[in-house]
Each structure stands twice: as structure tokens, then as C-alpha cells.
Amino acid sequence: MDTPVLWQFTSSHFNEKARWALDFKRVPHIRHSLVPGFHVPTVRRMTGKTHVPVLQLNGATIDDSTRIIEVLERAYPEPALYPADPAEQRRALELEDYFDEELGPYIRRWIFFIILPYPDYVRAAFVSHARPAIRLAHRAISPLVGSLMRRQMGINSRTAEIARGKTLAAMDRLEKELQPSGYLVGDRFTVADLTAAALLSPLVRPPEFPYKPALAIPEPFAEIRDSLSEHRAFQWTLRVYRQHRGSSAEVSAAAGAAAGR
């Protein structure tokens, strides 16, 4: 079995969802961290699309974080992210889908609306891992990158306000769905918890998140974060990260090649 390879953005919440599943299952894997915009030719060659995460596993190329977890559950069933009980499994997958559709795109749009006026912070979050030449190139085209992102993602003051409302609604839904156990389904950590926590991570910024920008967050972002810090969903996300995020299962490309021989 070849070592799995994850193609990712470091600071993306959907990428964090797939990455966390690999780490939770202790699957040794290689990571290739791409730079937004510059990633397009690489990803298009693999999938015909432009989004990440993308996982290469046993000769297959899987895009979409939900499909990646589904494949990982079959290839590495323990520890499980899907509940064994059929009714609980259906509920966990329903909640995964809810947070994927009703939280993920909207929290991304809202936060980008807040941070795009601060290009140094955006580069610190998404480009700091890249080679110096790529960082310089990205700096040179920062105004164009911001304009393209606003257009492609439909980011403006009206859509940002809608996205804010959807994010807060998802946080309220999470609070209502919590079981006496403190988890969303049953009495243990499942794909529902992983999805909700990963997709809230750009707002909550848990200390255990594996990639942290070197710059402080912009003041408007800090004020929004502080205003929501007492919400139960915010505090729940901090707890889930603290208890379940664990350490990275990433290995170097050289170690991965040796393991595959």
C-alpha cells in the first residue's frame, strides 16, 4: 500500500476536516500544501476540478472532504468516525451534510470579507509555507487575488451579512443538537463532531489547529471573535479540539516512499 498523499490548503476549514480525519485515524500520510490561485494547474490535472482537499489513496484520487472520510472509513475502520448503530450513523451523516452545506461555505465567505482588506494577514495564513519566489509573486499580485476572490466567491457587504446570519444559525443549531454526553450523536466523538468543529475553526481559532498565521488577526476579526466567545458552540469547539484533535500523522515524502517499498 502506497502512503496516502493529501493535497491541501493549510488554513482551509474543509481541508482541516480531511486532515483531522487522517490524523484521528493515525494514517501516516504525505502532505503537499498548495498556494491558492497557484494551485489550479496541479489540482486540475488530478481531478479536472480546482478545489482541495484531494487525497490520493491506493491508486484512487478522491476530492471532497466528505468523500475522503467515507473512503477512509472503509480503508481504516478503526478508530471509527461513523457510529456502529444504523440510526446514529444516519443522524451523524445528516449533521455532517448540514454543516457542510449550511455552515462551511458561509463562514468562509464571512471571514474572507473581514480579512481580505488585510493582505499581509491573508498571505501569512495561506502563503507563508511557500518558497520565497512564490511568496514574492503572491505579494505582487495581491490586489488581483483579492479582486478575483471577491468575484468568484460572491463576497460583498450584502452576501457577508447573509453569511454571518447563516453562521450564527449553524452555531445555534449545534447548541440545540448537543446530547447530554456533550457530543452531537450518541456518547462519543463522530464525523458530526469533527465536521462541525473543523468548519468552525476559522472563527474559533483553537490552539490545537495545526497551522497558525504568524501575524495577529485583524482587529475587526478579533472583535467579532470576542463577541462570540461565550457562545456554547464556540466553547464546545475549543473543548472538542482540546480533547480530540491530537497530533499530526504526517510523514515526510522520503519516509512515505520508504514505507511504500
Side-chain angles (χ1 to χ4, degrees):
M1 182 183 295
D2 292 335
T3 302
V5 179
L6 179 69
W7 299 81
Q8 64 165 5
F9 292 157
T10 54
S11 292
S12 162
H13 56 348
F14 280 113
N15 288 257
E16 167 68 353
K17 179 184 168 186
R19 188 167 56 221
W20 189 347
L22 285 160
D23 290 342
F24 178 77
K25 290 178 172 294
R26 307 310 304 158
V27 178
H29 61 281
I30 298 163
R31 294 179 189 171
H32 293 300
S33 297
L34 304 171
V35 173
F38 292 78
H39 76 290
V40 170
T42 299
V43 177
R44 187 167 278 156
R45 280 194 299 270
M46 289 189 288
T47 67
K49 303 173 185 177
T50 61
H51 62 259
V52 288
V54 174
L55 182 67
Q56 294 173 315
L57 176 68
N58 297 338
T61 299
I62 308 107
D63 63 332
D64 184 85
S65 60
T66 296
R67 291 183 61 237
I68 287 171
I69 292 178
E70 181 182 359
V71 170
L72 289 174
E73 277 289 289
R74 292 197 298 265
Y76 304 93
E78 294 297 334
L81 283 167
Y82 290 179
D85 177 79
E88 289 188 352
Q89 183 174 132
R90 283 194 300 273
R91 187 59 182 151
L93 294 176
E94 287 169 359
L95 288 172
E96 179 189 24
D97 183 66
Y98 169 80
F99 290 114
D100 278 348
E101 300 299 325
E102 298 297 323
L103 173 61
Y106 295 101
I107 193 171
R108 176 174 57 202
R109 182 176 294 146
W110 182 29
I111 289 179
F112 271 124
F113 177 78
I114 299 164
I115 67 173
L116 279 176
Y118 302 89
D120 287 345
Y121 179 77
V122 174
R123 284 193 297 274
F126 288 95
V127 190
S128 60
H129 64 276
R131 300 191 310 273
I134 296 294
R135 294 201 301 269
L136 286 172
H138 197 277
R139 177 183 289 274
I141 63 172
S142 278
L144 176 61
V145 170
S147 178
L148 285 172
M149 290 181 68
R150 289 184 178 91
R151 185 167 70 248
Q152 291 175 352
M153 297 173 63
I155 299 171
N156 56 56
S157 58
R158 181 187 66 83
T159 59
E161 182 58 26
I162 293 170
R164 184 189 74 86
K166 296 282 273 187
T167 299
L168 297 182
M171 293 175 71
D172 290 343
R173 170 76 181 272
L174 188 156
E175 181 175 8
K176 291 177 182 177
E177 293 286 350
L178 285 177
Q179 303 300 302
S181 64
Y183 296 107
L184 287 167
V185 179
D187 59 2
R188 69 174 188 84
F189 182 75
T190 71
V191 66
D193 304 288
L194 185 152
T195 300
L199 298 187
L200 280 171
S201 66
L203 173 65
V204 177
R205 295 172 52 80
E208 297 80 11
F209 188 87
Y211 299 98
K212 302 177 183 66
L215 295 183
I217 63 175
E219 185 173 346
F221 187 13
E223 290 173 356
I224 289 168
R225 185 177 179 274
D226 289 346
S227 73
L228 293 170
S229 62
E230 296 305 313
H231 194 292
R232 191 178 179 194
F234 191 107
Q235 291 297 318
W236 175 88
T237 301
L238 289 173
R239 179 182 67 78
V240 168
Y241 260 83
R242 187 168 58 248
Q243 293 181 352
H244 296 285
R245 186 57 185 86
S247 58
S248 173
E250 179 187 12
V251 297
S252 69
R261 288 200 293 266

